[in-house]
Amino acid sequence: MSLLSVEDLRLSFGGLLAIDGLSFTVGEAEIVSVIGPNGAGKTSAFNCVTGFYRPTAGRILLSGREITGMRPSGIAGLGVSRTFQNLRLFGEMSVLDNVRAGAHLWLRQNFVDALLHTPRYRRTERECTEQAHHWLDFVGLRGDRFGEARALPYGEQRRVEIARALARRPALLLLDEPAAGLNHGEKAEMLALIRRIRELGIATVLIEHDMGLVMEVSERVVVLNFGREIADGRPEDVRRDPAVIEAYLGRDDEDDEDDTDDTDDTDDTDDTDGKGGADGKGGADDGDGGGDGDA
Amino acid sequence: MTAPGATRAPALGRAASRLLDSRWAGLAGLVLALLAPFVIATPYALSVMTSAAIFVMLASGLNMVVGFCGLLDLGYVAFFAVGAYTSGVLSTRLGLPLLATVPVVIVVTVIAGVVIGAPTLRLRSDYLAIVTLGFGEIIRITANNLDVTGGPSGIYGIPSLATSPVVFYYLTVVIVSVAVIGASRLGRSRLGRAWRFVREDEDAAEAMGVHTYKIKLAAYIAGAVWGGLAGVLFAGQLSAISPGSFTFLQSALVLMAVVLGGMGSTPGVVVGAIVISLLPEVLRDFAGYRFFAFGVLLIIVMLVRPQGLWPHRSREASS
């Protein structure tokens, strides 16, 4: 049985179809990438799996158990962790506190412990801090971990977000564009980090525009276009798939104008949805992604 | 890029000194409060100081809701009223000593917290503020119209916790100190961190498994209990309560204490509450211009120190 299986997922926003019959599975400790042009429905699919959006139709199963329509915190409780496309750190809290958020689900401590500072309180707090340090070491954070998270440089904040997701001790980790906005060296480190995460036995689903990284790290690639799955297979097969090439480069001749119109529509949908894919970085990266796919 | 580990060593020294700072500051504040009656012990001064201590407890309770969890509550006085009236009614009608009403007060304020919080906490920021303001008024107007609460004239003859004002003052200081320490401890625990996660980013908190609705309700209930217990002290101090003590102005002043002191900062809200409750007394020389001067001073403080008198610092000590 696969760890995550998405069956015929559909999501529409007032008549606009963001996801149109998406099915894919993720096995234990597998790295699966979800790729596709901007507005293809990748982040929307993530939001359905993690409970932030309620799908219009279809089922999502985690280890055979249906999680469709559950609350995000409930899904997190079953062992799913995620990062966000636009960083969502607790900016005014310390870096350590950010990672301690990952401990929320497994830290056994009640308010009586907190009020009386019982031995259990001291033990759990110590354990929580040790774990936070451990995961910050694991992601290779170099910056100041006692200060506010927002004071860290962008690339370091990405690491903190991943450390926070890992501290939850998930079975399934969803990374939404972990390499967006990172420079060349940082991307290489991110690649190494994703491999180290796999060695922990954690299954990873990756949304990424950097084709180099995707082809390098993924065991399987799912390609979306206009909310539909157009390919699912090993990276080397997917990159030769005519449908994928067409999605990234467009068709040669007919229907050119129609196609551009459609693309615009879908893009708009995703933007209004508040995930704010409209920032400059995302756009630039998309361009990169297309270029790499071409090569 | 910062060099690896470069920031750790100085952080250690700074953090250690800050830990001492805040410990010593708390102890110094307590000693000051305990010594105050030796400096001035007129009945008037004692009553002002007792009121200030009760106000500190209110501010530390509201700080859990507004400062830690980021929920703007404009009707906090509702819980103060519920606590005061519950203990007032029980002690006068059933002849119970004030202390014996405390367990009932806790139960009733928890229920009040759930009743007010459950429907309103699905709302975000400004909507929540409006609805809590409404609930604050509802509680006051209900007390004004019920027979059991004595209507507009309120309840008289509530037994005090202590025979002399000095003893009552010391008792209040001890109870309030415990409450302030308790609120601060909750704020640093797993629950308190979850409150701050919710304040910073609700979606990210949910993604980490924080049931944001339950956590917000917990903040609300904790605030309600603190406010209710402050109400018991209030009833014991004055021995008479009436709806006039629980107006919107009172809610606004407690919120002012939290903001003025520094939201989310325990020493901050203590200082803020003391300033807000003592400043009008200090300004008595201004006679008719007293509250004008009070307002101007508050505005000046907020312009000069928008982060509060003693703001919360996120930098933490290394262990």
Side-chain angles (χ1 to χ4, degrees):
Chain A
M1 183 182 14
S2 42
L3 180 64
L4 174 75
S5 70
V6 175
E7 297 173 1
D8 198 26
L9 189 71
R10 279 163 214 276
L11 177 72
S12 60
F13 298 111
L16 277 170
L17 220 51
I19 303 173
D20 184 10
L22 172 65
S23 300
F24 68 94
T25 62
V26 180
E28 305 272 352
E30 191 181 22
I31 300 183
V32 176
S33 286
V34 178
I35 63 168
N38 258 7
K42 307 179 297 289
T43 296
S44 294
F46 258 37
N47 284 336
C48 285
V49 170
T50 48
F52 284 93
Y53 292 166
R54 181 180 286 268
T56 318
R59 299 203 307 161
I60 302 160
L61 304 168
L62 190 72
S63 304
R65 178 177 170 178
E66 176 148 12
I67 59 167
T68 328
M70 273 176 69
R71 215 189 149 83
S73 54
I75 293 173
L78 294 173
V80 179
S81 261
R82 71 170 292 179
T83 64
F84 293 86
Q85 187 174 348
N86 306 348
L87 285 166
R88 301 288 286 270
L89 287 177
F90 308 117
E92 289 188 16
M93 299 179 73
S94 72
V95 171
L96 278 170
D97 266 346
N98 268 273
V99 184
R100 286 189 184 110
H104 181 81
L105 278 166
W106 52 259
L107 206 63
R108 294 283 159 252
Q109 180 194 99
N110 60 32
F111 74 95
V112 178
D113 296 324
L115 283 175
L116 302 181
H117 278 195
T118 58
R120 181 160 73 161
Y121 172 83
R122 290 173 201 283
R123 181 170 43 82
T124 50
E125 283 299 298
R126 201 168 46 235
E127 187 189 356
C128 181
T129 304
E130 278 166 10
Q131 281 290 309
H133 279 296
H134 167 78
W135 290 113
L136 286 171
D137 292 340
F138 182 85
V139 298
L141 185 88
R142 286 180 286 255
D144 171 23
R145 48 182 75 176
F146 300 98
E148 287 186 2
R150 63 177 175 183
L152 289 178
Y154 184 80
E156 294 276 85
Q157 292 194 20
R158 285 241 168 247
R159 287 171 198 272
V160 174
E161 209 189 15
I162 293 174
R164 180 177 75 181
L166 286 171
R168 195 267 153 268
R169 302 170 179 167
L172 175 66
L173 176 65
L174 294 101
L175 300 174
D176 197 345
E177 297 195 30
L182 300 187
N183 64 36
H184 192 73
E186 289 171 329
K187 273 183 185 170
E189 286 174 353
M190 186 58 71
L191 185 78
L193 174 58
I194 293 170
R195 289 198 166 129
R196 264 182 288 145
I197 293 172
R198 192 234 322 254
E199 282 163 24
L200 297 173
I202 298 171
T204 306
V205 184
L206 195 68
I207 291 179
E208 190 46 68
H209 281 301
D210 186 303
M211 285 305 147
L213 193 141
V214 167
M215 294 302 162
E216 188 86 12
V217 82
S218 328
E219 285 156 271
R220 212 145 48 73
V221 178
V222 175
V223 189
L224 296 188
N225 197 19
F226 299 126
R228 265 191 217 107
E229 183 187 303
I230 56 172
D232 180 348
R234 294 185 303 153
E236 52 270 35
D237 299 334
V238 163
R239 73 190 311 169
R240 283 192 216 95
D241 192 311
V244 175
I245 294 168
E246 185 190 304
Y248 272 89
L249 300 178
R251 238 168 302 176
D252 280 345
D253 37 46
E254 80 265 323
D255 297 344
D256 254 5
E257 280 172 42
D258 280 0
D259 268 4
T260 7
D261 279 355
D262 281 358
T263 318
D264 285 350
D265 278 0
T266 330
D267 268 345
D268 284 350
T269 330
D270 249 19
D271 289 349
T272 12
D273 248 73
K275 285 293 137 198
D279 64 303
K281 274 176 201 129
D285 258 86
D286 188 34
D288 276 359
D292 287 358
D294 178 18
Chain B
M1 278 288 153
T2 43
T7 44
R8 244 199 227 195
L12 216 132
R14 223 180 318 151
S17 74
R18 189 164 56 83
L19 194 74
L20 280 175
D21 249 358
S22 116
R23 279 264 164 86
W24 287 116
L27 206 62
L30 183 62
V31 168
L32 211 63
L34 293 177
L35 289 182
F38 291 97
V39 179
I40 181 167
T42 60
Y44 166 70
L46 273 178
S47 130
V48 167
M49 289 188 302
T50 310
S51 299
I54 295 172
F55 202 67
V56 166
M57 181 152 176
L58 277 176
S60 82
L62 184 64
N63 186 41
M64 289 190 276
V65 181
V66 179
F68 293 162
C69 203
L71 305 166
L72 185 51
D73 185 345
L74 292 181
Y76 186 62
V77 79
F79 302 123
F80 190 45
V82 167
Y85 270 105
T86 307
S87 68
V89 169
L90 286 176
S91 58
T92 52
R93 305 259 158 162
L94 306 179
L96 290 173
L98 210 54
L99 213 54
T101 66
V102 166
V104 186
V105 166
I106 291 176
V107 171
V108 172
T109 46
V110 167
I111 294 170
V114 173
V115 167
I116 299 181
T120 54
L121 289 175
R122 297 183 194 280
L123 304 170
R124 291 204 184 198
S125 58
D126 18 3
Y127 300 101
L128 178 70
I130 300 290
V131 177
T132 50
L133 191 154
F135 266 111
E137 289 300 284
I138 288 172
I139 297 281
R140 183 176 61 84
I141 292 167
T142 308
N144 202 24
N145 287 296
L146 281 181
D147 284 336
V148 70
T149 56
S153 47
I155 300 173
Y156 302 92
I158 301 165
S160 183
L161 278 174
T163 43
S164 90
V166 181
V167 177
F168 186 80
Y169 170 73
Y170 279 122
L171 198 65
T172 306
V173 167
V174 169
I175 293 171
V176 171
S177 303
V178 170
V180 168
I181 292 169
S184 155
R185 284 185 169 189
L186 279 183
R188 274 178 282 133
S189 72
R190 170 180 178 269
L191 180 64
R193 277 196 299 270
W195 286 340
R196 291 172 204 261
F197 299 148
V198 169
R199 182 194 67 197
E200 293 287 310
D201 188 327
E202 269 194 47
D203 285 343
E206 269 284 334
M208 294 325 296
V210 176
H211 195 299
T212 51
Y213 180 66
K214 282 187 195 164
I215 288 296
K216 284 195 274 186
L217 200 56
Y220 220 64
I221 290 171
V225 171
W226 258 246
L229 293 177
V232 177
L233 289 175
F234 182 72
Q237 185 203 2
L238 298 185
S239 85
I241 50 172
S242 72
S245 314
F246 309 105
T247 55
F248 170 66
L249 178 68
Q250 191 72 12
S251 291
L253 283 177
V254 183
L255 185 63
M256 189 66 223
V258 172
V259 175
L260 181 83
M263 284 201 278
S265 152
T266 301
V269 296
V270 171
V271 171
I274 290 171
V275 168
I276 292 283
S277 52
L278 294 190
L279 201 54
E281 304 304 327
V282 175
L283 295 173
R284 267 188 192 279
D285 290 345
F286 288 81
Y289 294 100
R290 183 153 70 113
F291 284 100
F292 175 72
F294 181 54
V296 168
L297 276 176
L298 292 184
I299 292 171
I300 290 172
V301 170
M302 286 333 288
L303 284 176
V304 176
R305 263 185 98 75
Q307 72 275 39
L309 293 170
W310 192 326
H312 172 75
R313 271 170 290 188
S314 305
R315 166 159 289 284
E316 60 182 284
S318 63
S319 43

